[in-house]
Amino acid sequence: MADETAPESSPESNLASTRLRIRREASGAAEWFRSNWRESRRFRLGGYLLGALLTIYAVIWLAILRTLPSAESLLTYQPPLPTMVRGVNGEIVYSYARERRVQLRFVDFPKPVINAFLSAEDKTFWSHGGIDYTGIAGAVVDYVTKIGSGNRARGGSTITQQVAKNILIGDEYSLGRKFKEMVLAGRIESVLNKQQILELYLNEIPLGRQSFGVEAAALAYFGKDIDQLSLSEAAFLAILPKAPERYGRAKYAEHAIERRNWVLDQMADNGWATPEQVAEAKAQPLGIIARRVESYDPSNGYFVEEVRRRLAEKYGETADRGPNSVYSGGLWVRTSLDPQLQKATEEALRTALLRYHGGRGWVGPIDKLDVTPDKWLGPLVAANHTIHYQDWRIGVVTQRDGARATIGFPDGSTAPLVGLPQAIKAGDVTAVSPAGNAWTVRAVPEVSGGMLFQDATTGRVLAMQGGFDAGLGSFNRATQAQRQPGSTIKPFVYGTGLDYGMTPATMVPDQAFCVYQGAALGQKCFRNFDMRGAGGVHTMRWGLEQSRNLMTVHIANDTGMDRVVKTIDRVGIGKYEPYLSFALGAGDTTVSQMVNAYAALANNGVQFNQSMIDYVQDRNGKVIWRADERRCEKCNMAEWDGSAMPRFASRGREVMDPRTAYQVVHMLEGVVTRGTAIALADLGLPLFGKTGTTSGPTNVWFVGGNQDTVGGVYIGYDQPRSLGGYAQGGTMAAPIFKQVVMATKPRWSRLPFTAPRDVHMVKVDRITGKQVFGGTAINEGKSAIIWEAFKAEAELREASREDKLKEQRDSLVAAVRRVRKASEPQGAEAAPKEEPPAEPAADPVGLY
């Protein structure tokens, strides 16, 4: 039987058949559309309407929707947060914030605060889907009626819309922005739950006084946390979103009370407060404070400003530099600031500046402003001058008429000004203090200075004061002022001499020294501070204790100035040319550099990088930077492997021979006990240090401390000029250091300095430097016999020298005996033999 089954069609034929069918159907649809378009008016109108809608949507998408931010970004939103600074004890000492922000979780907001804001802003928040259509319609009508009037229409935005505005799209005043709000509000409601939305709102809403969020506003307006707010205060905060700059001012108090009471009524209507509670709250005054209570100790000003500079250099100030910026990154910074030592440092330097200023009176304004009637407040606030000393304040003279004047303050208040200096005039910014119902002019000292303390064993800066008050200017004289160090540089000249063969007992001439500097400069002759030479030759120790310039120049010249400047550079003081004047402190340096150099002396020649920041954490607590970068490879082993305990490597670097450093410190102890810093002797502590006074004198210095803590201070005018012929480091600078020590005495150890290996203590005559074999050595006052520090090889050299002298003496005595024996008579009864004279006691041999 024949096969009657049709042959299978090929893929090519199937594809062709499908194409043909599509063309037939498309042709039929097109014919249907053309037919209806020609014959049906309704069809044409529907087509026009659909086209218009599609065109409108395309325009809206291109103009608005295409650029809308993602609502999902709120899930990972990180608000700008201030950087918090902690001191050495872990307590918060400062925050860097251009906007006051405190982030709380939803559960941290008290119910009365939440209900107050819902009553004022969005009472249907818990039930709507992001948009209150009734409110939107009213806002549109209000907007249309106010076009051209210059008045702003009411918002009509829900809290969800305000979250979109505050975080995602900004506060542009337009219908376009309102439309964006509506679109984003719907998207936000689909991404976040109500609690999350309300948490964002209460943390981000701007409420005036640079405060963002309810907690920050509570601190700004009432000086308290939100869990301490009364119902009246919570209602007041709830009125601020409408007009924070208006309701937050005292002159609009009546309007604020009226609006606050309306919120309280709304809370009662919504069942969130009882009528009795509302009545009691309405009876309360606003109670807002004139200005925010200062929550941080202002004595930390210079320290935290220096920390801010270093953080800004590393991470930037604003978010456009990265996620860890100073003013928005929410960093947590642990510093080495010792609050007690910082307070003592500020008080000691201020006391000295005021003491020197004495009765000089008003020396001029802190700043000058262009003041016109009713327009002085803005420039004064922008100048941002403050002072934190006793009851002083900073203000600007708004007007002066003969013996009468008015002072204006940054809070907008004014008061009569009395005690007028003749030169003061309108526009002068000055310090004042209360005088009855008026204020009197106070003089901020024109002379200034800088002071710094650091831990010698770690390099951590403990305290820093860069002037009279950080609120008067950010220039930090402890780290930024380049000053001549004077005689405080001499220990490193003497240390170089010790490195190249000298000892503390080396005799050095205290005599005139002249050097020819070439045809252009001629001959230069050095002098001591008292403009004369003592004459004679003295021990190196005596020269350092009495700060003799001529002896220092002799040591520098004999050792080689090229070697001296290398030592000065190695300890971080500065890079100088090998000129002898630099051995007397003619080069420029800072207090910070000098203190770190002396820290190397105290730490037996080991120096650490100076640091103020221990470590930095990001907003999530992760450490992103630390000063101590050492690693301990085996510190986290699960089990002990039987090997030695792992130890960290040393962070410091040796910049001086440990023995040399100790010898210098030992001599500098004499500066305190009987030298130019004898003002410190009655402290009864093991201290070392050196005073300094530069030509003029334009600067007076003291740098010193003990083996744990080292500090330094200078006083001088910012534009160097003479302080007066009586000004000396020992009488002006050393007492400042003494005041700090007395105020913090429990922290200062009574343990003596520890000598390194290969240093031997030898009894010597303090004046001649020669070894003494009897008597008692006392390293106090003007004892005749003291203990002196020698390197072991120097003592061996001297021992070898004594052996050689003894051998020569024995040989001489033997020769004399031989001569006498040869001259005796022969045969006859010999004359009675005379006993040879006893050998003279050996003279003490000096150690050099």
mmCIF file of all heavy atoms in Angstrom, residues 660-700:
data_model
loop_
_atom_site.group_PDB
_atom_site.id
_atom_site.type_symbol
_atom_site.label_atom_id
_atom_site.label_comp_id
_atom_site.label_asym_id
_atom_site.label_seq_id
_atom_site.Cartn_x
_atom_site.Cartn_y
_atom_site.Cartn_z
ATOM 1 N N THR A 660 75.341 60.339 76.342
ATOM 2 C CA THR A 660 75.439 61.785 76.156
ATOM 3 C C THR A 660 74.169 62.472 76.655
ATOM 4 O O THR A 660 74.223 63.498 77.339
ATOM 5 C CB THR A 660 75.662 62.121 74.674
ATOM 6 O OG1 THR A 660 76.910 61.571 74.251
ATOM 7 C CG2 THR A 660 75.667 63.621 74.442
ATOM 8 N N ALA A 661 73.016 61.903 76.277
ATOM 9 C CA ALA A 661 71.742 62.496 76.704
ATOM 10 C C ALA A 661 71.661 62.561 78.222
ATOM 11 O O ALA A 661 71.237 63.581 78.795
ATOM 12 C CB ALA A 661 70.575 61.684 76.138
ATOM 13 N N TYR A 662 72.077 61.487 78.903
ATOM 14 C CA TYR A 662 72.016 61.496 80.364
ATOM 15 C C TYR A 662 72.992 62.515 80.947
ATOM 16 O O TYR A 662 72.649 63.216 81.911
ATOM 17 C CB TYR A 662 72.326 60.111 80.926
ATOM 18 C CG TYR A 662 72.306 60.108 82.436
ATOM 19 C CD1 TYR A 662 71.099 60.078 83.120
ATOM 20 C CD2 TYR A 662 73.490 60.184 83.168
ATOM 21 C CE1 TYR A 662 71.074 60.108 84.507
ATOM 22 C CE2 TYR A 662 73.473 60.221 84.549
ATOM 23 C CZ TYR A 662 72.262 60.185 85.215
ATOM 24 O OH TYR A 662 72.233 60.231 86.580
ATOM 25 N N GLN A 663 74.186 62.612 80.379
ATOM 26 C CA GLN A 663 75.147 63.597 80.877
ATOM 27 C C GLN A 663 74.581 65.011 80.768
ATOM 28 O O GLN A 663 74.741 65.827 81.692
ATOM 29 C CB GLN A 663 76.458 63.495 80.094
ATOM 30 C CG GLN A 663 77.309 62.277 80.447
ATOM 31 C CD GLN A 663 78.584 62.228 79.621
ATOM 32 O OE1 GLN A 663 78.530 62.151 78.393
ATOM 33 N NE2 GLN A 663 79.725 62.284 80.293
ATOM 34 N N VAL A 664 73.925 65.304 79.640
ATOM 35 C CA VAL A 664 73.335 66.636 79.463
ATOM 36 C C VAL A 664 72.230 66.861 80.489
ATOM 37 O O VAL A 664 72.159 67.917 81.129
ATOM 38 C CB VAL A 664 72.799 66.804 78.026
ATOM 39 C CG1 VAL A 664 72.032 68.119 77.896
ATOM 40 C CG2 VAL A 664 73.934 66.755 77.013
ATOM 41 N N VAL A 665 71.365 65.868 80.675
ATOM 42 C CA VAL A 665 70.288 65.997 81.652
ATOM 43 C C VAL A 665 70.861 66.206 83.051
ATOM 44 O O VAL A 665 70.358 67.024 83.833
ATOM 45 C CB VAL A 665 69.375 64.757 81.612
ATOM 46 C CG1 VAL A 665 68.447 64.722 82.826
ATOM 47 C CG2 VAL A 665 68.558 64.742 80.332
ATOM 48 N N HIS A 666 71.918 65.477 83.370
ATOM 49 C CA HIS A 666 72.534 65.588 84.690
ATOM 50 C C HIS A 666 73.066 67.004 84.914
ATOM 51 O O HIS A 666 72.947 67.558 86.021
ATOM 52 C CB HIS A 666 73.670 64.567 84.809
ATOM 53 C CG HIS A 666 74.169 64.377 86.209
ATOM 54 N ND1 HIS A 666 73.365 64.017 87.258
ATOM 55 C CD2 HIS A 666 75.425 64.509 86.735
ATOM 56 C CE1 HIS A 666 74.078 63.925 88.361
ATOM 57 N NE2 HIS A 666 75.331 64.229 88.077
ATOM 58 N N MET A 667 73.645 67.591 83.873
ATOM 59 C CA MET A 667 74.100 68.977 83.992
ATOM 60 C C MET A 667 72.903 69.933 84.088
ATOM 61 O O MET A 667 72.945 70.921 84.833
ATOM 62 C CB MET A 667 74.972 69.346 82.790
ATOM 63 C CG MET A 667 76.341 68.681 82.785
ATOM 64 S SD MET A 667 77.457 69.360 81.535
ATOM 65 C CE MET A 667 76.738 68.689 80.040
ATOM 66 N N LEU A 668 71.826 69.640 83.336
ATOM 67 C CA LEU A 668 70.650 70.507 83.359
ATOM 68 C C LEU A 668 69.907 70.429 84.689
ATOM 69 O O LEU A 668 69.151 71.354 85.031
ATOM 70 C CB LEU A 668 69.711 70.162 82.209
ATOM 71 C CG LEU A 668 70.229 70.495 80.802
ATOM 72 C CD1 LEU A 668 69.252 70.016 79.738
ATOM 73 C CD2 LEU A 668 70.495 71.985 80.652
ATOM 74 N N GLU A 669 70.087 69.356 85.445
ATOM 75 C CA GLU A 669 69.567 69.334 86.806
ATOM 76 C C GLU A 669 70.242 70.424 87.631
ATOM 77 O O GLU A 669 69.622 71.038 88.513
ATOM 78 C CB GLU A 669 69.790 67.968 87.449
ATOM 79 C CG GLU A 669 68.895 66.863 86.915
ATOM 80 C CD GLU A 669 69.085 65.565 87.674
ATOM 81 O OE1 GLU A 669 69.973 64.768 87.289
ATOM 82 O OE2 GLU A 669 68.356 65.358 88.662
ATOM 83 N N GLY A 670 71.525 70.672 87.338
ATOM 84 C CA GLY A 670 72.232 71.738 88.024
ATOM 85 C C GLY A 670 71.718 73.110 87.656
ATOM 86 O O GLY A 670 71.805 74.049 88.459
ATOM 87 N N VAL A 671 71.172 73.257 86.446
ATOM 88 C CA VAL A 671 70.564 74.535 86.066
ATOM 89 C C VAL A 671 69.401 74.851 86.997
ATOM 90 O O VAL A 671 69.173 76.005 87.357
ATOM 91 C CB VAL A 671 70.083 74.476 84.599
ATOM 92 C CG1 VAL A 671 69.325 75.745 84.232
ATOM 93 C CG2 VAL A 671 71.260 74.273 83.657
ATOM 94 N N VAL A 672 68.675 73.814 87.438
ATOM 95 C CA VAL A 672 67.540 74.003 88.332
ATOM 96 C C VAL A 672 67.997 74.201 89.773
ATOM 97 O O VAL A 672 67.464 75.055 90.492
ATOM 98 C CB VAL A 672 66.577 72.797 88.234
ATOM 99 C CG1 VAL A 672 65.482 72.872 89.288
ATOM 100 C CG2 VAL A 672 65.984 72.715 86.837
ATOM 101 N N THR A 673 68.986 73.430 90.207
ATOM 102 C CA THR A 673 69.370 73.482 91.621
ATOM 103 C C THR A 673 70.240 74.685 91.968
ATOM 104 O O THR A 673 70.221 75.159 93.099
ATOM 105 C CB THR A 673 70.107 72.197 92.025
ATOM 106 O OG1 THR A 673 71.242 72.014 91.170
ATOM 107 C CG2 THR A 673 69.188 70.997 91.914
ATOM 108 N N ARG A 674 71.017 75.201 91.001
ATOM 109 C CA ARG A 674 71.894 76.333 91.338
ATOM 110 C C ARG A 674 72.185 77.249 90.157
ATOM 111 O O ARG A 674 73.021 78.148 90.258
ATOM 112 C CB ARG A 674 73.221 75.802 91.901
ATOM 113 C CG ARG A 674 73.911 74.841 90.969
ATOM 114 C CD ARG A 674 75.190 74.257 91.547
ATOM 115 N NE ARG A 674 75.535 73.035 90.840
ATOM 116 C CZ ARG A 674 75.210 71.819 91.241
ATOM 117 N NH1 ARG A 674 74.550 71.677 92.383
ATOM 118 N NH2 ARG A 674 75.517 70.750 90.548
ATOM 119 N N GLY A 675 71.481 77.046 89.016
ATOM 120 C CA GLY A 675 71.760 77.848 87.833
ATOM 121 C C GLY A 675 70.676 78.864 87.540
ATOM 122 O O GLY A 675 70.010 79.387 88.438
ATOM 123 N N THR A 676 70.454 79.108 86.267
ATOM 124 C CA THR A 676 69.537 80.179 85.862
ATOM 125 C C THR A 676 68.073 79.840 86.106
ATOM 126 O O THR A 676 67.227 80.727 86.053
ATOM 127 C CB THR A 676 69.742 80.486 84.367
ATOM 128 O OG1 THR A 676 69.555 79.279 83.606
ATOM 129 C CG2 THR A 676 71.143 81.035 84.113
ATOM 130 N N ALA A 677 67.755 78.566 86.360
ATOM 131 C CA ALA A 677 66.368 78.177 86.647
ATOM 132 C C ALA A 677 66.182 77.830 88.113
ATOM 133 O O ALA A 677 65.349 77.000 88.464
ATOM 134 C CB ALA A 677 65.960 76.991 85.770
ATOM 135 N N ILE A 678 66.940 78.486 88.982
ATOM 136 C CA ILE A 678 66.897 78.164 90.412
ATOM 137 C C ILE A 678 65.523 78.453 91.024
ATOM 138 O O ILE A 678 65.207 77.970 92.110
ATOM 139 C CB ILE A 678 67.996 78.946 91.167
ATOM 140 C CG1 ILE A 678 68.239 78.309 92.541
ATOM 141 C CG2 ILE A 678 67.653 80.424 91.250
ATOM 142 C CD1 ILE A 678 69.456 78.865 93.247
ATOM 143 N N ALA A 679 64.676 79.200 90.298
ATOM 144 C CA ALA A 679 63.320 79.465 90.793
ATOM 145 C C ALA A 679 62.531 78.178 90.987
ATOM 146 O O ALA A 679 61.563 78.147 91.749
ATOM 147 C CB ALA A 679 62.583 80.383 89.819
ATOM 148 N N LEU A 680 62.937 77.092 90.330
ATOM 149 C CA LEU A 680 62.233 75.812 90.439
ATOM 150 C C LEU A 680 62.776 74.930 91.557
ATOM 151 O O LEU A 680 62.194 73.881 91.847
ATOM 152 C CB LEU A 680 62.322 75.039 89.115
ATOM 153 C CG LEU A 680 61.876 75.771 87.851
ATOM 154 C CD1 LEU A 680 62.090 74.885 86.639
ATOM 155 C CD2 LEU A 680 60.420 76.187 87.952
ATOM 156 N N ALA A 681 63.883 75.332 92.165
ATOM 157 C CA ALA A 681 64.567 74.453 93.112
ATOM 158 C C ALA A 681 63.697 74.082 94.302
ATOM 159 O O ALA A 681 63.754 72.954 94.800
ATOM 160 C CB ALA A 681 65.868 75.105 93.581
ATOM 161 N N ASP A 682 62.874 75.013 94.773
ATOM 162 C CA ASP A 682 62.095 74.734 95.977
ATOM 163 C C ASP A 682 60.904 73.807 95.734
ATOM 164 O O ASP A 682 60.168 73.486 96.660
ATOM 165 C CB ASP A 682 61.631 76.034 96.628
ATOM 166 C CG ASP A 682 60.749 76.867 95.707
ATOM 167 O OD1 ASP A 682 60.501 76.432 94.563
ATOM 168 O OD2 ASP A 682 60.315 77.963 96.122
ATOM 169 N N LEU A 683 60.710 73.350 94.502
ATOM 170 C CA LEU A 683 59.674 72.359 94.242
ATOM 171 C C LEU A 683 60.033 71.013 94.852
ATOM 172 O O LEU A 683 59.166 70.178 95.112
ATOM 173 C CB LEU A 683 59.444 72.193 92.734
ATOM 174 C CG LEU A 683 58.751 73.359 92.013
ATOM 175 C CD1 LEU A 683 58.774 73.140 90.503
ATOM 176 C CD2 LEU A 683 57.318 73.504 92.496
ATOM 177 N N GLY A 684 61.334 70.794 95.061
ATOM 178 C CA GLY A 684 61.776 69.553 95.681
ATOM 179 C C GLY A 684 61.580 68.326 94.813
ATOM 180 O O GLY A 684 61.416 67.218 95.327
ATOM 181 N N LEU A 685 61.600 68.497 93.496
ATOM 182 C CA LEU A 685 61.409 67.393 92.558
ATOM 183 C C LEU A 685 62.642 67.230 91.688
ATOM 184 O O LEU A 685 63.366 68.201 91.428
ATOM 185 C CB LEU A 685 60.197 67.657 91.663
ATOM 186 C CG LEU A 685 58.834 67.758 92.351
ATOM 187 C CD1 LEU A 685 57.789 68.245 91.359
ATOM 188 C CD2 LEU A 685 58.428 66.405 92.928
ATOM 189 N N PRO A 686 62.910 66.019 91.202
ATOM 190 C CA PRO A 686 64.012 65.829 90.260
ATOM 191 C C PRO A 686 63.636 66.391 88.894
ATOM 192 O O PRO A 686 62.933 65.753 88.101
ATOM 193 C CB PRO A 686 64.186 64.303 90.216
ATOM 194 C CG PRO A 686 62.864 63.752 90.611
ATOM 195 C CD PRO A 686 62.260 64.734 91.563
ATOM 196 N N LEU A 687 64.053 67.617 88.619
ATOM 197 C CA LEU A 687 63.729 68.296 87.378
ATOM 198 C C LEU A 687 64.995 68.718 86.656
ATOM 199 O O LEU A 687 66.023 68.984 87.291
ATOM 200 C CB LEU A 687 62.875 69.539 87.648
ATOM 201 C CG LEU A 687 61.503 69.327 88.288
ATOM 202 C CD1 LEU A 687 60.887 70.678 88.650
ATOM 203 C CD2 LEU A 687 60.585 68.557 87.353
ATOM 204 N N PHE A 688 64.905 68.785 85.341
ATOM 205 C CA PHE A 688 65.984 69.353 84.541
ATOM 206 C C PHE A 688 65.381 70.425 83.649
ATOM 207 O O PHE A 688 64.163 70.451 83.423
ATOM 208 C CB PHE A 688 66.685 68.272 83.714
ATOM 209 C CG PHE A 688 65.943 67.891 82.456
ATOM 210 C CD1 PHE A 688 66.414 68.279 81.207
ATOM 211 C CD2 PHE A 688 64.768 67.144 82.504
ATOM 212 C CE1 PHE A 688 65.743 67.927 80.045
ATOM 213 C CE2 PHE A 688 64.081 66.790 81.354
ATOM 214 C CZ PHE A 688 64.576 67.179 80.114
ATOM 215 N N GLY A 689 66.207 71.313 83.130
ATOM 216 C CA GLY A 689 65.655 72.332 82.245
ATOM 217 C C GLY A 689 66.673 73.392 81.906
ATOM 218 O O GLY A 689 67.776 73.431 82.457
ATOM 219 N N LYS A 690 66.274 74.262 80.984
ATOM 220 C CA LYS A 690 67.174 75.330 80.545
ATOM 221 C C LYS A 690 66.341 76.564 80.231
ATOM 222 O O LYS A 690 65.282 76.479 79.605
ATOM 223 C CB LYS A 690 67.937 74.898 79.291
ATOM 224 C CG LYS A 690 68.953 75.909 78.826
ATOM 225 C CD LYS A 690 70.135 75.992 79.776
ATOM 226 C CE LYS A 690 71.095 77.102 79.377
ATOM 227 N NZ LYS A 690 70.536 78.446 79.685
ATOM 228 N N THR A 691 66.817 77.691 80.682
ATOM 229 C CA THR A 691 66.200 78.974 80.367
ATOM 230 C C THR A 691 66.788 79.509 79.074
ATOM 231 O O THR A 691 67.833 79.061 78.606
ATOM 232 C CB THR A 691 66.448 79.981 81.495
ATOM 233 O OG1 THR A 691 67.867 80.142 81.659
ATOM 234 C CG2 THR A 691 65.835 79.499 82.795
ATOM 235 N N GLY A 692 66.107 80.495 78.500
ATOM 236 C CA GLY A 692 66.606 81.129 77.291
ATOM 237 C C GLY A 692 66.118 82.555 77.197
ATOM 238 O O GLY A 692 64.964 82.846 77.541
ATOM 239 N N THR A 693 66.986 83.449 76.746
ATOM 240 C CA THR A 693 66.634 84.858 76.553
ATOM 241 C C THR A 693 67.322 85.329 75.282
ATOM 242 O O THR A 693 68.544 85.258 75.173
ATOM 243 C CB THR A 693 67.093 85.721 77.737
ATOM 244 O OG1 THR A 693 66.620 85.139 78.960
ATOM 245 C CG2 THR A 693 66.574 87.141 77.601
ATOM 246 N N THR A 694 66.553 85.780 74.314
ATOM 247 C CA THR A 694 67.148 86.186 73.039
ATOM 248 C C THR A 694 67.493 87.664 73.059
ATOM 249 O O THR A 694 67.042 88.426 73.919
ATOM 250 C CB THR A 694 66.183 85.896 71.881
ATOM 251 O OG1 THR A 694 64.986 86.667 72.072
ATOM 252 C CG2 THR A 694 65.816 84.421 71.839
ATOM 253 N N SER A 695 68.258 88.071 72.085
ATOM 254 C CA SER A 695 68.707 89.462 72.005
ATOM 255 C C SER A 695 67.501 90.387 71.964
ATOM 256 O O SER A 695 66.508 90.134 71.298
ATOM 257 C CB SER A 695 69.561 89.668 70.750
ATOM 258 O OG SER A 695 70.729 88.877 70.819
ATOM 259 N N GLY A 696 67.602 91.479 72.669
ATOM 260 C CA GLY A 696 66.532 92.458 72.702
ATOM 261 C C GLY A 696 66.195 92.941 74.098
ATOM 262 O O GLY A 696 66.340 94.110 74.388
ATOM 263 N N PRO A 697 65.722 92.051 74.991
ATOM 264 C CA PRO A 697 65.281 90.668 74.744
ATOM 265 C C PRO A 697 63.891 90.633 74.097
ATOM 266 O O PRO A 697 62.986 91.347 74.526
ATOM 267 C CB PRO A 697 65.244 90.056 76.134
ATOM 268 C CG PRO A 697 64.982 91.207 77.042
ATOM 269 C CD PRO A 697 65.592 92.430 76.413
ATOM 270 N N THR A 698 63.753 89.787 73.063
ATOM 271 C CA THR A 698 62.471 89.668 72.373
ATOM 272 C C THR A 698 61.710 88.397 72.761
ATOM 273 O O THR A 698 60.498 88.334 72.567
ATOM 274 C CB THR A 698 62.681 89.673 70.859
ATOM 275 O OG1 THR A 698 63.582 88.609 70.499
ATOM 276 C CG2 THR A 698 63.279 90.999 70.407
ATOM 277 N N ASN A 699 62.415 87.385 73.252
ATOM 278 C CA ASN A 699 61.771 86.142 73.677
ATOM 279 C C ASN A 699 62.403 85.672 74.978
ATOM 280 O O ASN A 699 63.627 85.768 75.140
ATOM 281 C CB ASN A 699 61.945 85.025 72.636
ATOM 282 C CG ASN A 699 61.451 85.403 71.267
ATOM 283 O OD1 ASN A 699 60.260 85.469 71.017
ATOM 284 N ND2 ASN A 699 62.387 85.670 70.352
ATOM 285 N N VAL A 700 61.582 85.156 75.875
ATOM 286 C CA VAL A 700 62.099 84.495 77.074
ATOM 287 C C VAL A 700 61.535 83.085 77.105
ATOM 288 O O VAL A 700 60.354 82.864 76.812
ATOM 289 C CB VAL A 700 61.746 85.268 78.360
ATOM 290 C CG1 VAL A 700 62.515 86.577 78.421
ATOM 291 C CG2 VAL A 700 60.251 85.525 78.466
#
